[in-house]
Amino acid sequence: EPEVTQTPSHQVTQMGQEVILRCVPISNHLYFYWYRQILGQKVEFLVSFYNNEISEKSEIFDDQFSVERPDGSNFTLKIRSTKLEDSAMYFCASSRGLAINNEQFFGPGTRLTVL
Amino acid sequence: ILNVEQSPQSLHVQEGDSTNFTCSFPSSNFYALHWYRWETAKSPEALFVMTLNGDEKKKGRISATLNTKEGYSYLYIKGSQPEDSATYLCAPRPTGANNLFFGTGTRLTVIP
C-alpha cells in the first residue's frame, strides 16, 4: 500500500542553524501539507502546497519557514534559523485532491530537537 | 483556529470491553470530520472521513457517528483488543479550508 515517507526520523540541531526536513508524498497525490506537534500540544497546521505554490499557510509559518518541491517526488520544509521553540514532531501529509471525502495521509514524522 | 475538544484524554479498558470517546467541534462552517488512529512511532492512520449529519461509518470493530448540528462525533470500539491501544485523533475541516484542525486526542490503553 502506498505511504508517505519522511527523513530523517530524528534531527538534532543547534539554535540558529538551518534544517531541511524531507518528505516523499504518495505518488499520484496533488496536495501536500506540513503539520507539527509540539510535545504535549495539539497537532497544528503549518502550510499546504499545490501546483508548485503555497495554497494556505498558518500564522506559525513565518519568513523562517519555506517549502519546496525540488523534483517530482520530494517535498521539503526548510527552517532557516532554528529557535528552541521549533522543537517539535513535524508531519508531512498528502491528499489526492480537495474533495470533501478525500483523506489526508500522514507520514511517520520527523522529530526535530533544537539545542 | 477551531476549538476542538476530545474526551476523555486517556482511558484504560480491559480486553474485551467496549468503549467510546467524544470529539466536540464548532458546528458552524463544518465541512468534514476526520478520525485518525495513531500508534507511537508510526504514521497516523486514517480511519474515517465523515461529512453528513447522522453519518455512521464502520471499519471492523471501530465505528463512528456524526452530529453536525450540535457539533460532536463519537468513536466506538467494540470488544477492545490490546492492538487497539493508540491515540485516537479527530480533526474537523471547516468550509473553505484545506487543512485539518486537530483535537488533543484520546489515548486508549487496552489491558490484556
Side-chain angles (χ1 to χ4, degrees):
Chain A
E1 190 174 316
E3 57 184 20
V4 176
T5 59
Q6 290 185 242
T7 53
S9 55
H10 192 187
Q11 172 104 39
V12 181
T13 190
Q14 294 289 330
M15 193 168 57
Q17 296 295 306
E18 174 183 287
V19 294
I20 297 177
L21 310 183
R22 300 179 196 280
C23 168
V24 178
I26 293 172
S27 63
N28 63 347
H29 285 187
L30 299 177
Y31 288 82
F32 315 117
Y33 311 83
W34 284 101
Y35 291 81
R36 78 174 185 189
Q37 186 188 35
I38 294 171
L39 191 63
Q41 298 185 23
K42 296 180 181 181
V43 175
E44 305 171 287
F45 168 72
L46 294 178
V47 66
S48 60
F49 191 85
Y50 168 71
N51 200 26
N52 279 319
E53 56 184 40
I54 290 172
S55 52
E56 282 183 39
K57 59 182 182 177
S58 70
E59 293 171 355
I60 304 166
F61 194 87
D62 61 22
D63 292 345
Q64 291 299 311
F65 292 89
S66 61
V67 287
E68 195 178 31
R69 188 149 162 85
D71 53 44
S73 58
N74 289 284
F75 177 52
T76 61
L77 175 70
K78 184 195 289 187
I79 309 175
R80 280 192 193 82
S81 177
T82 48
K83 306 185 191 83
L84 295 175
E85 55 264 36
D86 293 328
S87 294
M89 180 76 94
Y90 287 81
F91 292 99
C92 173
S94 69
S95 65
R96 191 174 294 128
L98 292 181
I100 192 169
N101 57 356
N102 275 171
E103 292 170 326
Q104 290 186 19
F105 292 86
F106 281 73
T110 292
R111 180 165 296 287
L112 177 65
T113 302
V114 182
L115 302 176
Chain B
I1 295 179
L2 280 188
N3 188 22
V4 183
E5 300 292 333
Q6 289 189 248
S7 63
Q9 274 193 312
S10 68
L11 190 55
H12 288 70
V13 300
Q14 291 290 335
E15 182 176 351
D17 286 352
S18 295
T19 188
N20 65 85
F21 15 96
T22 309
C23 171
S24 301
F25 52 87
S27 54
S28 58
N29 292 331
F30 175 84
Y31 191 59
L33 181 82
H34 295 235
W35 276 102
Y36 287 88
R37 178 178 176 279
W38 184 24
E39 287 182 72
T40 306
K42 294 188 178 177
S43 304
E45 174 197 350
L47 289 174
F48 306 114
V49 181
M50 308 183 79
T51 58
L52 298 175
N53 186 45
D55 244 358
E56 276 193 47
K57 297 246 172 156
K58 192 172 178 188
K59 194 175 190 174
R61 293 179 291 98
I62 305 177
S63 59
T65 60
L66 178 67
N67 183 323
T68 61
K69 295 191 187 313
E70 295 180 43
Y72 64 84
S73 176
Y74 293 137
L75 190 86
Y76 301 90
I77 302 179
K78 187 176 175 184
S80 304
Q81 300 296 309
E83 58 264 29
D84 297 327
S85 297
T87 297
Y88 292 82
L89 296 165
C90 75
R93 178 182 164 193
T95 306
N98 300 343
N99 57 290
L100 306 178
F101 290 85
F102 283 84
T104 47
T106 293
R107 185 188 207 97
L108 174 68
T109 303
V110 181
I111 303 161

